[in-house]
Amino acid sequence: MIIARMERRCFLVLLHGISNISSWLSSSVTDARVLKEITWALEKEGEELNLAYKTIGDAGAAALGAALLAVPAIRFTELSLYNNDLTAAGVASLAPALRRPWGDGGLKELWVRGNPLGDAGVAALAKALPQLSGLQHLGLESLLGNFKLLMEG
């Protein structure tokens, strides 16, 4: 329990440090809102890291990726990022964190539907899939045009 609290404080310190870098996000209002959403999601109990419909964008994905790389262990088994305006750049920022070990049994569910990933985003996601051996569900429902690329890649 003490370690979990220390990890949460490390998240907060990291995220607040990122918030001081003015080039991370286009405005301080957006910056504060996105970092608040990410911090809240990381601190929430449970196995799901849920940032669905938070509109974190690519800069938020970069901040999330950095935070997930900074902790000793990722406790989540589900990541919900649908409808967040993520593009190929956002997926590329998250890819190193996706390749890390996740929770008990690994990352089991990854939801990225409703994001304008494009072919390059789907290709970046496909590169991370071999490390996700425990993945049971990949939510790409609204990306059916890109699904063929993912399956062939």
Side-chain angles (χ1 to χ4, degrees), residues 3-153:
I3 293 173
R5 284 189 200 133
M6 290 173 55
E7 286 179 7
R8 288 184 186 131
R9 288 184 185 166
C10 288
F11 275 130
L12 291 173
V13 168
L14 174 69
L15 292 174
H16 288 293
I18 290 171
S19 71
N20 291 327
I21 301 172
S22 61
S23 63
W24 259 125
L25 298 169
S26 60
S27 75
S28 60
V29 173
T30 300
D31 181 28
R33 182 195 59 79
V34 168
L35 293 174
K36 182 178 178 181
E37 295 287 358
I38 292 170
T39 302
W40 180 84
L42 291 169
E43 290 184 322
K44 189 176 177 187
E45 295 294 325
E47 295 182 344
E48 181 182 18
L49 178 51
N50 186 354
L51 287 163
Y53 299 101
K54 302 299 182 189
T55 320
I56 66 169
D58 293 334
L64 176 61
L68 291 171
L69 287 172
V71 296
I74 300 172
R75 65 180 169 87
F76 304 101
T77 60
E78 299 174 30
L79 177 59
S80 297
L81 292 171
Y82 44 91
N83 294 343
N84 268 294
D85 295 330
L86 301 181
T87 67
V91 174
S93 296
L94 281 171
L98 291 176
R99 291 186 197 110
R100 288 194 60 200
W102 281 67
D104 186 27
L107 185 61
K108 296 175 184 165
E109 294 185 25
L110 176 58
W111 298 88
V112 292
R113 70 179 187 229
N115 290 295
L117 299 180
D119 292 345
V122 173
L125 184 59
K127 288 180 183 177
L129 290 179
Q131 287 83 17
L132 301 175
S133 59
L135 193 65
Q136 298 170 1
H137 187 87
L138 177 59
L140 289 172
E141 288 81 1
S142 64
L143 301 172
L144 294 179
N146 298 319
F147 190 67
K148 183 178 178 190
L149 174 67
L150 179 64
M151 297 309 289
E152 291 175 353

